[in-house]
Amino acid sequence: MRDLSAWVRIRTAVVGGESGSAPDTASARESIRDLAILYAMAVDAHDLTALDSMFHPDAVLSRDGEDAIGRTAILEMLGESMDGFRRMLHTPETHVVHVDGRDGLGIATAHAELVTRRSVVLAAHEYEDSYTVHDGRWVFAARAIRFVYAARSDEYGTVLPEADRIRLPGAAPRTMASGWFGEPTPT
């Protein structure tokens, strides 16, 4: 079994930026991109220990308007979400990162295949993130997740063209939230 927490410690470490100066920008962007990839792997593995190390103690995780504030609440939200799926496979895709000293902003996209007890759900989502340096590593200060679509695999072709294309198990069909969540600002 791989130790994702070890990968998080190694791959999110700040390069440069000793004594409070600004970290190396190119290395920071790479570490932040690794943070997002490791997040997907940890969610898929239902590894709450690794996820705990990826968030600032006061971080905020928003999922389509539902907010979890602080690590404990974030892990609770993620754990409850994971409990609904027997298997998860998140595939990170695009990821644009801007670094400003010891803070950063990012937008990313991803797809997911989610196995419930009765079906397979295909989904696409977007992330709006802010990052910060905490204890010598890049972590999420805030992460907002917005679904683009979510549909059972056997309904994918008929659901995707519809306005209410977000159809998560146990929830009423709904439309995608318009625009980004707001103007992101570093913490």
Side-chain angles (χ1 to χ4, degrees), residues 52-167:
D52 180 60
S53 67
M54 295 181 195
F55 287 91
H56 187 276
D58 300 322
V60 176
L61 178 65
S62 299
R63 185 178 54 209
D64 283 331
E66 179 186 354
D67 292 342
I69 301 169
R71 280 188 189 151
T72 301
I74 289 169
L75 295 176
E76 199 172 285
M77 176 190 273
L78 290 172
E80 287 173 7
S81 176
M82 291 173 197
D83 284 346
F85 299 102
R86 290 181 20 215
R87 184 168 298 115
M88 304 168 90
L89 176 62
H90 288 80
T91 305
E93 294 168 340
T94 61
H95 193 179
V96 179
V97 176
H98 173 74
V99 175
D100 184 8
R102 299 175 72 77
D103 295 303
L105 302 171
I107 53 175
T109 61
H111 277 84
E113 300 161 49
L114 310 167
V115 180
T116 70
R117 286 172 180 74
R118 291 187 226 124
S119 66
V120 174
V121 175
L122 304 175
H125 44 279
E126 300 173 332
Y127 298 100
E128 180 181 1
D129 299 327
S130 60
Y131 319 99
T132 194
V133 174
H134 179 70
D135 289 340
R137 294 185 308 99
W138 286 100
V139 296
F140 293 108
R143 176 155 252 216
I145 305 164
R146 177 178 74 164
F147 282 93
V148 177
Y149 68 81
R152 284 186 10 192
S153 60
D154 61 335
E155 297 176 347
Y156 175 79
T158 57
V159 169
L160 196 59
E162 300 299 323
D164 62 348
R165 63 185 177 266
I166 301 169
R167 301 188 185 182

